[in-house]
Amino acid sequence: MNIGVLAVQGAFIEHENMLRSLGAECRELRCREDIDHLDGIVLPGGESTVQARLLTELSMMTPLKKLIESGVPVLATCAGLILLAEHIDGGEAPHIATLPVTVRRNAYGRQSASFCCRASFGTMADVPMMFIRAPFIESVGDGVEIMAHDSSDAQNITAVKYKNQLAMAFHPELTNDTRIHEYFLKLVARRRG
Ligand code: GLN
């Protein structure tokens, strides 16, 4: 299976290393021509405004959107979640906009900009979650399955699944726990049949 990892900016190498350790082939997506014959897509963390500008300049936004709409599974982390969201709190224009959620960027403020917690993710218990200037999800639309909350009293939504889109506010690729990537590869395998 051939996984395309968006590699215009941000933490993409860590995703590639984790996916390769699980036996998947990865291709770095750096230009429009790279977006071809993919079985899955990874949108890494980084800076969503920079990534969005580069995706537009490189004419990669529309082909990525089409591929995701066609059902190719996508794993999006942090800035990747912001790229997928249909709504961004604060009035910023959405980007790929295939995921019916509202996100709030830099939602944890400056003081707790980066932190780690353990929480469940769907049926997986005790998953380590690393948050780096992370967004959270304020609300979800119809058909969106909530996969995780943070461990604060507010229980903010930190991960969702919608059709073949798996998106989270934290960085599973920066831990040693491979379960979320394995889950994503199962979605890819299921779609390939
Ligand atoms: N704060 C970044 C943004 O708004 C996301 C941070 C991350 O990807 N770790 O795009």
Side-chain angles (χ1 to χ4, degrees):
M1 59 179 74
N2 201 348
I3 309 297
V5 181
L6 182 65
V8 294
Q9 191 266 344
F12 49 89
I13 305 267
E14 292 81 357
H15 280 289
E16 289 173 36
N17 290 343
M18 194 168 261
L19 289 166
R20 289 199 176 110
S21 81
L22 296 171
E25 279 169 51
C26 297
R27 182 200 308 163
E28 294 189 351
L29 308 179
R30 295 178 182 276
C31 64
R32 193 189 171 113
E33 289 66 37
D34 295 332
I35 308 173
D36 197 22
H37 300 300
L38 293 175
D39 300 310
I41 301 165
V42 173
L43 301 177
E47 193 54 44
S48 58
T49 47
V50 177
Q51 293 182 358
R53 181 168 51 74
L54 290 168
L55 287 180
T56 304
E57 282 175 14
L58 296 164
S59 305
M60 294 170 78
M61 192 82 88
T62 307
L64 275 177
K65 183 178 170 97
K66 282 197 182 138
L67 219 53
I68 294 167
E69 281 173 340
S70 77
V72 172
V74 56
L75 172 68
T77 58
C78 205
L81 158 67
I82 297 165
L83 290 183
L84 286 185
E86 282 183 3
H87 307 280
I88 302 174
D89 190 5
E92 193 179 317
H95 306 296
I96 297 175
T98 49
L99 181 66
V101 300
T102 300
V103 291
R104 192 191 317 168
R105 293 183 60 207
N106 303 317
Y108 292 97
R110 232 191 280 168
Q111 267 184 334
S112 50
S114 299
F115 64 97
C116 228
C117 72
R118 299 184 86 93
S120 42
F121 182 97
T123 58
M124 301 168 206
D126 206 29
V127 177
M129 301 178 177
M130 205 181 255
F131 294 80
I132 303 171
R133 293 186 58 236
F136 60 59
I137 297 163
E138 287 184 329
S139 60
V140 302
D142 285 349
V144 176
E145 191 183 341
I146 294 173
M147 302 296 282
H149 294 93
D150 64 27
S151 52
S152 74
D153 290 343
Q155 290 268 296
N156 302 298
I157 302 167
T158 55
V160 292
K161 178 173 183 289
Y162 175 70
K163 298 181 180 171
N164 272 343
Q165 301 177 55
L166 196 58
M168 60 220 68
F170 52 89
H171 289 265
E173 79 285 5
L174 300 182
T175 72
N176 292 324
D177 194 312
T178 56
R179 283 178 289 171
I180 291 177
H181 286 74
E182 286 169 44
Y183 180 79
F184 166 65
L185 291 177
K186 277 191 197 141
L187 294 180
V188 174
R190 193 180 309 152
R191 181 165 187 273
R192 274 167 46 113

